Amino acid sequence: MKKDLIREWNTFVSENPSGSFLQLVEWGLFQEKCGNKSWGVLVTDKRTLSFPFSEISSRNIGQDDQILLLALITKASLPFGRSYLYAPRGPIVDFLSFEKKKPVKFFQQFLHECEKIAKKEKSIFLHIDPEWVRNQYMAEFLTRLHLRVSRKDIQPSETIFINLAKPEKQLLQDMHQKTRY
């Protein structure tokens, strides 16, 4: 039997503490509709695959496949006809299973799939932006793979939730006067 990849993908992202809407299927399909080339990269305990994100509805995974890592990758343009690949708030990793199952091997498989996409698209680098990189252990893990943490964030480093049911006047009063606009 096969499992529906769209359902499995969104469940994995939604149930992961570092999951983000920027890695959900709907965001990938939105990127595609906006004309941005996007790919899914998936590492399970049994296989690794990458595919154009527009094809996700025709993809399945095995009934026994356990997702260890996934990422929505988009292509971003640079001057002079160059480009790079970007995983906004990704990759998403199942840390409990990942650490038990040779994490370096699985992360290298992820990077290899990204490298194949980059060569095909003539992209000059991959920018990953996982929430978990702020964890010291994971930052050291990436360093062991000869990756470096960028000094520039693309996504906000922190977010807050605001109750928008409050009246506008109350919302503005709750904010610091110098930073509320």
Side-chain angles (χ1 to χ4, degrees):
M1 286 204 57
K2 301 281 186 182
K3 294 189 282 188
D4 174 50
L5 183 54
I6 291 177
R7 183 179 313 117
E8 295 299 316
W9 185 289
N10 277 349
T11 299
F12 185 81
V13 172
S14 299
E15 292 178 355
N16 193 295
S18 65
S20 167
F21 78 93
L22 297 172
Q23 287 293 314
L24 289 172
V25 169
E26 292 77 10
W27 186 254
L29 296 175
F30 172 74
Q31 290 296 316
E32 287 280 322
K33 284 188 179 187
C34 290
N36 299 321
K37 287 181 96 173
S38 303
W39 297 265
V41 179
L42 180 72
V43 178
T44 74
D45 57 341
K46 295 183 176 52
R47 62 189 175 133
T48 303
L49 66 132
S50 60
F51 51 88
F53 214 78
S54 59
E55 297 176 6
I56 194 166
S57 62
S58 64
R59 300 286 177 148
N60 295 300
I61 61 172
Q63 187 67 31
D64 296 330
D65 284 3
Q66 179 183 6
I67 298 174
L68 300 174
L69 178 153
L70 61 74
L72 165 63
I73 309 288
T74 58
K75 181 179 175 181
S77 296
L78 291 170
F80 308 111
R82 302 284 190 163
S83 67
Y84 69 96
L85 300 178
Y86 176 50
R89 287 294 184 240
I92 307 297
V93 176
D94 175 3
F95 288 109
L96 296 176
S97 299
F98 197 72
E99 288 195 13
K100 296 175 192 170
K101 298 181 187 268
K102 302 179 184 170
V104 171
K105 175 187 169 196
F106 288 112
F107 211 86
Q108 285 173 331
Q109 289 173 330
F110 161 72
L111 293 173
H112 179 70
E113 289 298 313
C114 292
E115 186 177 21
K116 289 192 305 192
I117 296 167
K119 282 182 182 176
K120 184 178 176 187
E121 296 298 319
K122 298 182 174 103
S123 295
I124 58 175
F125 65 89
L126 167 68
H127 185 119
I128 61 173
D129 188 20
E131 184 66 36
W132 48 261
V133 80
R134 285 150 185 65
N135 172 314
Q136 184 63 31
Y137 168 77
M138 290 312 293
E140 290 170 8
F141 171 76
L142 293 177
T143 302
R144 285 195 309 266
L145 289 168
H146 306 290
L147 300 173
R148 59 186 164 106
V149 177
S150 175
R151 286 180 251 147
K152 181 182 178 198
D153 285 330
I154 294 177
Q155 301 299 326
S157 60
E158 293 183 34
T159 57
I160 59 171
F161 290 97
I162 298 175
N163 180 357
L164 296 179
K166 292 180 183 179
E168 182 180 0
K169 189 174 183 176
Q170 181 64 44
L171 286 171
L172 291 172
Q173 285 177 344
D174 291 347
M175 296 179 197
H176 189 276
Q177 185 179 3
K178 301 281 184 186
T179 58
R180 63 181 170 192
Y181 296 106

